[in-house]
Amino acid sequence: MNTVWSQFIQGENTLYYSRKLRFCDVFAERYRSLLKLDGRRRLKILEVGCGPGALAGALHRWYPKAEICGLDRDSNFIEFARAHEEGVEFVEGDATALPFADGTFDVTISYTVSEHIEPEKFFGEQLRVLKSGGVCIVLSNRKTFEVKAPCLAESEFEEQFWRGTAERDGSLDKYAVRKYPLTEAELPAAMEKYGFGDITCDYLAIGLTPDDKKFAAIARDIIEEGRNSELDGLGSAARSLPDFVTAEDVQRMTALIDKKYDERLAQYERGERQWDTAVSLIMILRGIKN
């Protein structure tokens, strides 16, 4: 049983609810136009490093004829995914040793996974399990920026807390997080080096602004995603640094975080627009098995 990522890096709530927003159906047509998959076919699609299942769930909605399988090595993520996304098979396994026969899938896809795995293994295993002519799609976060509502500004205590934990927490190095980062030029070059051709590279900007009326159906979810992320980060810090983070720290930080986000939700309900936003630029790399 492996729970390293969910316990010490990013919790289930952080990954699931942030990805639910990035892969919201509001953006479905934009994704489909860039993924270039034939929704009329009964494709077999594997998501490598599926986390708690949000992208796999989106693929199931966007390509209802396809057979979707999500794989992750974190047991908590797989358990969470099975409980939250219907119509998808979720498998616990290692991206560097995929538990599938050669030529099993029509498509492999991943989101923010390539930077954590040695490129030869990352691309090599996907090449192996793809059918001839199969499609490998790599989604990679490139740039982000965020404009927060004033009420979400950190207090002095919060700033000191996060600074102190960042200085002491070696989890990213310990668990090889982002050990293999590749630039916008290096990533497609690696895909080509390890056996893929007909490579295309596109970029998609995903902006989430709760006060924009087109996001009215998910505005509260956009706000709550920030709360989930901070509370999950607090839990990870407490588990990683038990000798530094006290129970009193956790209690005080939780109260401060909840107070901020409760106020932001109240502002939204009162119609007090803040125009806070979060924008992600996603690189969409696509290659064909030669």
Side-chain angles (χ1 to χ4, degrees):
M1 184 173 183
N2 186 327
T3 60
V4 166
W5 201 277
S6 58
Q7 289 291 300
F8 300 107
I9 310 301
Q10 291 172 303
E12 299 96 315
N13 287 330
T14 295
L15 277 186
Y16 183 71
Y17 291 107
S18 64
R19 293 183 178 188
K20 284 283 281 188
L21 294 171
R22 288 190 179 93
F23 300 112
C24 172
D25 290 344
V26 170
F27 307 115
E29 286 305 317
R30 294 165 65 184
Y31 277 111
R32 279 194 290 247
S33 71
L34 296 175
L35 298 181
K36 298 181 178 69
L37 301 178
D38 188 351
R40 298 167 298 180
R41 293 179 54 200
R42 296 188 179 279
L43 299 169
K44 292 192 68 173
I45 302 176
L46 171 67
E47 185 190 356
V48 178
C50 66
L55 173 55
L59 293 170
H60 176 61
R61 296 192 305 274
W62 300 344
Y63 302 99
K65 291 185 178 180
E67 179 182 329
I68 313 295
C69 178
L71 173 139
D72 203 281
R73 67 179 182 178
D74 190 293
S75 306
N76 286 341
F77 288 159
I78 294 300
E79 182 180 355
F80 187 101
R82 288 170 177 165
H84 287 78
E85 294 293 345
E86 297 181 353
V88 178
E89 179 186 9
F90 290 102
V91 176
E92 190 172 336
D94 190 337
T96 66
L98 295 171
F100 306 105
D102 296 359
T104 298
F105 295 96
D106 300 290
V107 180
T108 59
I109 188 169
S110 62
Y111 174 61
T112 65
V113 177
S114 62
E115 59 266 38
H116 309 300
I117 301 174
E118 194 278 318
E120 184 175 6
K121 294 179 180 178
F122 175 75
F123 286 114
E125 271 298 275
Q126 291 182 68
L127 188 74
R128 181 183 66 78
V129 301
L130 279 168
K131 299 174 183 177
S132 178
V135 180
C136 175
I137 298 172
V138 177
L139 306 181
S140 176
N141 267 6
R142 291 286 116 181
K143 306 289 184 182
T144 62
F145 74 83
E146 186 175 16
V147 178
K148 287 193 173 185
C151 70
L152 298 179
E154 291 181 350
S155 66
E156 183 178 352
F157 180 80
E158 289 173 284
E159 289 181 356
Q160 291 175 348
F161 176 85
W162 293 123
R163 189 183 306 115
T165 57
E167 291 171 352
R168 292 167 175 81
D169 189 0
S171 295
L172 299 186
D173 290 333
K174 180 178 180 180
Y175 299 117
V177 176
R178 289 190 57 82
K179 185 177 180 180
Y180 303 98
L182 297 176
T183 68
E184 290 81 356
E186 291 169 339
L187 190 53
M191 174 179 266
E192 186 173 36
K193 178 179 179 180
Y194 295 113
F196 292 94
D198 297 324
I199 294 170
T200 60
C201 183
D202 294 285
Y203 291 85
L204 178 60
I206 298 296
L208 296 163
T209 307
D211 291 324
D212 187 327
K213 63 181 180 181
K214 70 173 170 286
F215 295 120
I218 60 170
R220 295 167 187 81
D221 294 333
I222 295 173
I223 295 169
E224 285 288 4
E225 190 276 326
R227 188 200 309 259
N228 287 331
S229 179
E230 291 196 33
L231 290 176
D232 269 1
L234 176 61
S236 294
R239 287 187 290 272
S240 297
L241 301 167
D243 295 330
F244 177 72
V245 179
T246 67
E248 291 76 15
D249 289 336
V250 172
Q251 184 178 20
R252 185 173 178 184
M253 284 290 292
T254 300
L256 289 168
I257 292 167
D258 282 338
K259 181 180 179 181
K260 291 189 305 186
Y261 286 96
D262 287 347
E263 174 57 23
R264 180 64 189 95
L265 286 171
Q267 288 174 338
Y268 178 78
E269 299 296 345
R270 294 193 297 263
E272 299 174 6
R273 294 183 177 86
Q274 305 299 305
W275 296 109
D276 42 333
T277 190
V279 179
S280 300
L281 182 64
I282 299 175
M283 181 182 188
I284 300 179
L285 188 65
R286 190 179 187 278
I288 306 297
K289 179 175 179 177
N290 291 322

